[in-house]
Amino acid sequence: MNFQLTKEQEMVRKMVRDFAENEVKPLAAEVDETERFPMETVRKMQQYGMMGVFIPKEYGGSGGDEIAYAITVEELSRVCATTGVICSAHSSLACWPIWKYGTEEQKQKYLVPLASGQKIGAFGLTEPNAGTDAAGQQTKAVLEGDHWVLNGTKIFITNGGEADIYVVMAMTDKSKGTRGISSFIVEKGMPGFSIGKKENKMGIRGSATTELVFEDCIVPKENLLGEIGEGFKIAMSTLDGGRIGIAAQALGIAQGALDETVAYMKQREQFGRPLCKFQALQFEVADMETRVQAARLLVYNAAWKKTVGEPYGKAAAMAKLYAAETAMYVTTKAVQLHGGYGYTKDYPVERMMRDAKITEIYEGTSEVQRMVISSALFK
Amino acid sequence: MKVIVCVKQVPDTTEVRIDPVKGTLIRDGVPSILNPDDANAVEEALRLKDKNQDVHVTVVTMGPPQAEAVLRECLAMGVDEAILLSDRAFAGADTWATSNTLAAAVRKIGDYDIIYCGRQAIDGDTAQVGPQLAERLGIPQVTYVKDFKIEGNEITVHRALEDGYEVIQVKTPVLLTAIKELNKPRYMSIRGIYDAYREKEITVWSLADLGVAQDQVGLEASPTKVFRSFTPEPKGKGIMLEGNTKEQVEQLIYHLKQKHAI
């Protein structure tokens, strides 16, 4: 057993942290306040290979592994969870399924521009009536000659409107249940595809979360991803990997809040001494640190399993569950330890606490993670 | 066109403290970084390469084996080749011995048009190695470069002065030293990081490879003797003068008289 990162992974951390501190952190509060998608940052992330970390070089990616990817999302999220999820949704939910299930033509046409940083990707599964019950897809796809016709609405789509390429699930044969769902690659601008309402959210406010509306949307026949009826499997396996990204995001938020708190406690004085000299508060920080480190081990463990080709569904669920709950725990404590200042927008922990909550909800709620974990024990 | 960039691995001095008793740097647990001015030098070389893929950039450093880390960083930024000058005999070198070692390496590389160095390293702050290297090679040098243009082999640079800058035209081969105003260094790229470890090699040259006599390198060849190292006393707190201009001037004159300055 060896808990050391490789030299490449260490250097990725150094590089992304440097980038995050200089390019991402200065914008974080403004991006949150104004709900602005930080496109200028995304362009730089593309330039430096952060939007295709684990995709092989022959498909335009950086040729790294899942751990380097987790580190990338973690370090971005440490200063700005919005930026972290833009990278995570693009990489895990759009690049990965095309890499895993796409034909060579689809990879050349869609994965290369996504991974090499010319295009942004998104993923459309959730619907108004199909959240955790993702099998209840109402969006329909019907084959008409040489194209599919899609009708329906997706909601809560991360990178919605900003993305160029969407991996979208739709029902092709309702009688077959989950085996009647198929997966499609839809381009922005395809006839009948439009972006609906943008959500006004509690956290990750700079990330675009929108509806996708399909009204007789014409998708070329060759844009079917995988086989007909394979959509649910593709969606579930994509989310297994996506959970590593969100777990890394949650880990980054928690680490960021912890770092802010440690710095604050060294300089904030009450009763004539800094907060870090009060043992009751020291113990709070000890618990925060311990949970963050435990979350990190779970996240890297899941990422490692995925890298080496071991089954990782349960490991990813545990990483996501624990990291998300740690993010909520640590950010709540961080606000408390900042006192009244922590409740204001003058300190980033206020934003971090709002950002943390979504990690317990999207890409499978904490309840879904518990279902995945326990079903692996009782199967 | 061939560009050689000389770089140094330095302790991150924002985190360095001096042992008050021994007067030496406490380096334990202090991260090592690519010297900031050297990053500007690397960046300028890479900008030449961005414009013209025929530009070949080689980075050279003298240091212990772990100095390899900064060379990998340079490779991850996009340089073509990295050479580490490493030998126990090089240890303890001052600027005289360092520039002698670097000059031997540059001669061994042979063909070059531009040598870029950082102005100075943040651990020693001497700003001597670049100029000494140019002297040893017998080529022109321009220090404190804050702007760089090239047409053919005609180079125009702005050399920073305290209160302005000089415009200097030089021809290759030339040695330039970069200051931070020259550019903003790029980050490593993630693909670059993987390439730096998987696809690129670092060439290591020892004393024997350079063909320099042992008494011409390292501590033995270093005339510098360190008398004492110390942390300068922090300056006392300043006095802020308030009021309108007239009142402030009156107060200023009062204070200066008190101190017998006027």
Side-chain angles (χ1 to χ4, degrees), chain A residues 107-376:
Chain A
K107 288 180 197 176
Q108 292 300 334
K109 186 170 180 191
Y110 295 113
L111 179 57
V112 169
L114 284 171
S116 66
Q118 293 138 43
K119 298 275 173 75
I120 299 173
F123 175 80
L125 173 67
T126 299
E127 297 184 359
N129 295 312
T132 293
D133 181 15
Q137 294 283 306
Q138 289 176 344
T139 298
K140 279 189 278 191
V142 178
L143 185 62
E144 288 183 7
D146 62 352
H147 59 264
W148 293 89
V149 180
L150 268 64
N151 276 290
T153 302
K154 299 288 173 183
I155 55 162
F156 301 151
I157 306 308
T158 303
N159 293 346
E162 306 293 343
D164 310 282
I165 296 163
Y166 297 76
V167 173
V168 176
M169 310 303 143
M171 193 64 90
T172 43
D173 186 351
K174 196 157 192 203
S175 66
K176 291 188 178 163
T178 55
R179 287 171 198 275
I181 296 170
S182 302
S183 180
F184 302 88
I185 303 171
V186 183
E187 286 178 55
K188 191 185 204 171
M190 281 183 170
F193 173 33
S194 61
I195 304 301
K197 181 186 160 220
K198 185 181 172 203
E199 302 297 338
N200 180 1
K201 305 187 295 296
M202 172 196 278
I204 55 163
R205 288 167 56 78
S207 126
T209 308
T210 70
E211 287 181 332
L212 308 180
V213 181
F214 303 96
E215 289 171 305
D216 293 329
C217 171
I218 308 290
V219 177
K221 195 175 170 185
E222 64 269 21
N223 278 30
L224 176 76
L225 181 64
E227 303 293 323
I228 293 178
E230 216 185 7
F232 193 72
K233 187 185 104 184
I234 292 174
M236 291 303 112
S237 68
T238 298
L239 288 174
D240 274 345
R243 282 166 193 154
I244 297 175
I246 299 307
Q249 184 202 21
L251 170 62
I253 295 169
Q255 185 67 60
L258 177 58
D259 292 347
E260 290 291 336
T261 303
V262 168
Y264 181 78
M265 287 174 64
K266 284 182 186 167
Q267 53 92 7
R268 169 70 170 168
E269 288 190 8
Q270 289 287 275
F271 304 102
R273 54 190 174 139
L275 296 189
C276 64
K277 298 290 184 196
F278 292 86
Q279 195 176 50
L281 307 187
Q282 291 170 356
F283 281 14
E284 292 280 17
V285 175
D287 289 347
M288 291 157 78
E289 166 73 5
T290 304
R291 291 196 195 200
V292 169
Q293 292 299 342
R296 181 168 289 116
L297 291 176
L298 283 172
V299 175
Y300 293 0
N301 177 56
W304 174 80
K305 280 178 184 285
K306 191 169 181 209
T307 300
V308 300
E310 284 189 22
Y312 58 88
K314 176 166 150 268
M318 292 194 297
K320 201 253 182 194
L321 170 66
Y322 191 77
E325 295 194 344
T326 296
M328 211 52 232
Y329 172 86
V330 169
T331 54
T332 307
K333 291 284 183 191
V335 169
Q336 190 68 23
L337 288 164
H338 278 69
Y341 291 111
Y343 197 65
T344 71
K345 290 185 190 294
D346 293 341
Y347 286 82
V349 291
E350 179 270 343
R351 182 185 77 243
M352 292 168 170
M353 184 175 160
R354 285 185 287 108
D355 287 343
K357 185 62 201 172
I358 190 60
T359 64
E360 292 184 320
I361 300 172
Y362 61 11
E363 297 197 32
T365 59
S366 289
E367 291 73 17
V368 165
Q369 309 310 326
R370 288 187 165 91
M371 280 164 53
V372 171
I373 297 160
S374 58
S375 70

Side-chain angles (χ1 to χ4, degrees), chain A residues 69-111:
Chain A
Y69 163 62
I71 290 170
T72 301
V73 175
E74 175 192 348
E75 289 297 331
L76 293 170
S77 305
R78 185 177 156 271
V79 299
C80 175
T82 281
T83 308
V85 77
I86 293 169
C87 175
S88 179
H90 163 94
S91 306
S92 287
L93 304 186
C95 293
W96 188 82
I98 298 174
W99 176 37
K100 180 79 181 170
Y101 296 101
T103 62
E104 188 56 34
E105 290 73 31
Q106 288 171 338
K107 288 180 197 176
Q108 292 300 334
K109 186 170 180 191
Y110 295 113
L111 179 57

Side-chain angles (χ1 to χ4, degrees), chain A residues 7-9 11-12 14-15 18-19 22-23 48-50 53 57 60-65 68 72, chain B residues 32-34 68-69 72-73 76 184-199:
Chain A
K7 284 180 174 173
E8 293 95 320
Q9 290 157 356
M11 200 176 261
V12 168
K14 182 178 157 92
M15 175 259 160
D18 197 18
F19 178 87
N22 292 305
E23 312 290 333
Y48 288 110
M50 285 180 234
V53 175
K57 287 201 311 189
S62 293
D65 59 28
T72 301
Chain B
S32 292
I33 58 167
L34 173 62
E68 179 200 314
R72 298 273 182 207
E73 275 189 40
K184 182 184 171 203
R186 68 195 61 194
Y187 300 94
M188 297 178 264
S189 74
I190 295 187
R191 179 190 280 216
I193 290 169
Y194 280 91
D195 285 351
Y197 280 98
R198 292 179 185 172
E199 295 182 9

Side-chain angles (χ1 to χ4, degrees), chain A residues 7 11, chain B residues 59-61 64-76 79-86 195-197 199-205:
Chain A
K7 284 180 174 173
M11 200 176 261
Chain B
V59 282
V60 182
T61 192
Q66 57 267 32
E68 179 200 314
V70 293
L71 295 180
R72 298 273 182 207
E73 275 189 40
C74 295
L75 290 169
V79 307
D80 299 289
E81 194 183 348
I83 301 170
L84 173 63
L85 312 177
S86 198
D195 285 351
Y197 280 98
E199 295 182 9
K200 291 182 180 172
E201 294 285 330
I202 287 178
T203 307
V204 182
W205 285 346

